[in-house]
Amino acid sequence: MDAMKTSENSRRSGQVLIFAAMAAAILMFAVLWMIDVHRIIFLKDRSQNAGDAAALAAARWQATSLNLLGELNIMHAAALAAGNADAADVITNTQLRICFTGPLTGVAAAQQGAKLNGIRVNDEYNELFREHADTVRNGYATTVGGTSALPEPWPNAWEEYAGMIDAIASDGVAAGIDNAAFYTDPSGGHVLLDLGFYEAVAGREWCWFYLNHPDLLKSYSGYEWWPPLPEPDYPSYNSAEFLSLWVYPETRELADIGSRDVIADEAERLSAAFPQDTDTNAMHTAETWFFYSSGKWGSWSAMKEPFPIEGKVKQEYDYEGADAAVRVESISHRFMSGRTTEDTLIWTAAAKPFGYIKADGAKVPPPSLSFIIPAFHDVRLIPMDASSAPAGGSFDLQWRRHCREHLDDYLENGPSALRTGCKYCMNIKTWEVPYFRESGSSWLVTNSWKCTIRPSGSGGSSGGTRRAH
C-alpha cells in the first residue's frame, strides 16, 4: 500500500514539474515578447525624435542661407548705388559660396541632431559620402585643357566642395539626406527608374499599369524593348547636391528686377543706404543677382486634393522649393526566435523653411518676387509626401545601387545579368515572365473600370506611390 502511495506521489510530482516547466516556458516567452515590444517602441520613438531633429536642423540652415542670399542681394544694390564695384564683386562671390556652404552646414547640423538623439554613425551612409567626394574630386573637377568637366561656379569650387563632403564623412554620417539631387543621376522619366513599377509588379497592382503605362503589359516584348536610360541633365551647377536651395545667379539690370521701393525698404531695414533718387545709371547697370528657380519654387501641388490633410495651405505658405528630407536607421535585436536577430528600423522626416513678404498690405510667398530678399523666419515639419524627396529616397541604398549598377547590366545583357539578393532585380525577373504580363492584361479587360483613382505622386521620374514614414 505504501509503495502504491509513493508511486502515486511520484507521478503527481512529475506532472507538477511538467506543468511548472510549461508555465516557465510560457512566462519566458511572454518576457521575451515584452522585451522585444519595449525595445521596438523605444527605438521607434528614438528614431522619430532623431529624424525630426535632424530635418529641422537642416531646414534652419536652409532658411539662414536663403536669408543671407537675400541680404546680400540688398547689400549688392546698396554697393551699386554707392558706386562701389569692388564690394559688389565680393558680394557676388560670397553668394556663390553660400549656395554650397550653407546647405552642407545644414547636412552637418542634421548629423548632430541625429547623434544627440541616440542614432549611431551609419557606415554605409559614410561610405556613400566618401565615394561621392571622390566622384566630385576625380569626376567633376577632372580637367581637360585646364577646363573642369563640369562648369565651376567659382575657381577651384569642386575641390573645395569635395573637401566639405569629406569633412562631414570624417565626423560620421548618422542621417542620410533623402532629397539629395546628384548631378550625375539620370534625368527624365523611365519606367525602370520608377519605384512604382516595382511595387506594382510585386503586388500585382494592375491598375498602376492602366493609369500610368496602359500599353506596357501588351507591348513589352523583351529586355531589348526598353529605351536607354536617360543621361544626366542637371539644370545648373550653382547649388549643392545635398539640401539644394534651388536658386540661381543671373546677370540683369536692377531696374528689371523689382520695385525701387521694395529694395529701398529692405535696405533701410538692414541699415544700408539706397536712396529713392538712386543714380539712374546704377539701376541700369547689368550685375549678377540671385533668384528663385521658378521650376522648383512653384505652388505646393502635393498639398492639394486628394492629399489626406485637413484644411488648406495659406496663400503665403503655398510654395515648394527648398526643404530637408532625412533618413535615420536603428538596429533592433529580437530574442523571440530563440537567437538574437537584427531588424532595421527606418524613420524618414522632412522639414521646410517658411516665410512671406508683404506686397500692397498682403502676405505673399517669397518666390512671387523671384528676386531673393530676406523672408524666412520659421521652419516646420512637413509630410514626407510633400517634400522633394523621390519615392525611393536618395539614401535608400539598395534602390540606389540597383539604379546605378544593376540596370545597365540588365539592359545590355538581359535577365541573366540580374543580381541575386536584390529585390528589385527579382521584380524584373517576375516581369519578364510572359504569363505574369498576360495575367495583368486579362484582368484589366474586365476590371479596368475599378481603376478610377490615381495614387498621389505616382508616375514621373521620382517614381511610385509616395509615402509617409
Side-chain angles (χ1 to χ4, degrees), residues 198-393:
Y198 300 86
E199 293 173 345
V201 170
R204 286 169 168 73
E205 298 172 8
W206 309 122
C207 283
W208 183 89
F209 293 96
Y210 179 80
L211 294 171
N212 294 281
H213 300 280
D215 298 326
L216 185 58
L217 287 166
K218 288 185 177 181
S219 63
Y220 183 76
S221 57
Y223 76 95
E224 294 178 340
W225 180 92
W226 296 114
L229 295 177
E231 294 294 327
D233 185 22
Y234 205 75
S236 69
Y237 305 104
N238 296 299
S239 194
E241 298 160 297
F242 302 91
L243 304 179
S244 178
L245 302 177
W246 300 119
V247 299
Y248 70 98
E250 184 176 336
T251 301
R252 293 168 60 179
E253 293 183 5
L254 190 58
D256 297 333
I257 291 173
S259 165
R260 185 196 303 256
D261 293 339
V262 171
I263 297 173
D265 289 345
E266 287 297 320
E268 181 179 358
R269 188 178 65 81
L270 296 173
S271 301
F274 190 83
Q276 293 290 343
D277 58 350
T278 298
D279 186 353
T280 302
N281 290 332
M283 294 296 293
H284 291 282
T285 300
E287 292 283 328
T288 300
W289 314 93
F290 277 76
F291 302 85
Y292 297 103
S293 298
S294 58
K296 298 293 185 178
W297 286 85
S299 176
W300 210 352
S301 57
M303 296 295 283
K304 303 293 191 294
E305 296 296 337
F307 192 83
I309 192 169
E310 294 184 3
K312 293 183 178 180
V313 179
K314 293 183 178 179
Q315 177 189 356
E316 60 266 33
Y317 304 127
D318 185 14
Y319 50 87
E320 297 175 321
D323 59 55
V326 302
R327 167 188 301 251
V328 297
E329 297 184 9
S330 298
I331 303 299
S332 172
H333 300 280
R334 287 191 291 117
F335 301 101
M336 286 289 290
S337 62
R339 57 186 177 84
T340 303
T341 303
E342 290 187 351
D343 293 312
T344 301
L345 299 179
I346 298 174
W347 183 265
T348 56
K352 180 174 175 56
F354 286 102
Y356 55 81
I357 57 177
K358 291 184 178 180
D360 299 326
K363 297 177 181 178
V364 299
S368 61
L369 186 61
S370 180
F371 182 71
I372 302 174
I373 63 174
F376 298 91
H377 49 74
D378 203 359
V379 295
R380 286 286 187 269
L381 292 171
I382 61 173
M384 279 297 294
D385 292 18
S387 77
S388 60

Side-chain angles (χ1 to χ4, degrees), residues 126-139:
N126 235 41
E127 183 62 24
L128 177 57
F129 265 74
R130 292 198 183 280
E131 287 178 357
H132 193 65
D134 288 341
T135 298
V136 173
R137 186 174 288 113
N138 300 316

Side-chain angles (χ1 to χ4, degrees), residues 17-34:
L17 287 174
I18 292 173
F19 178 79
M22 293 176 62
I26 294 172
L27 180 61
M28 181 62 69
F29 182 86
V31 169
L32 291 176
W33 182 78
M34 289 296 294

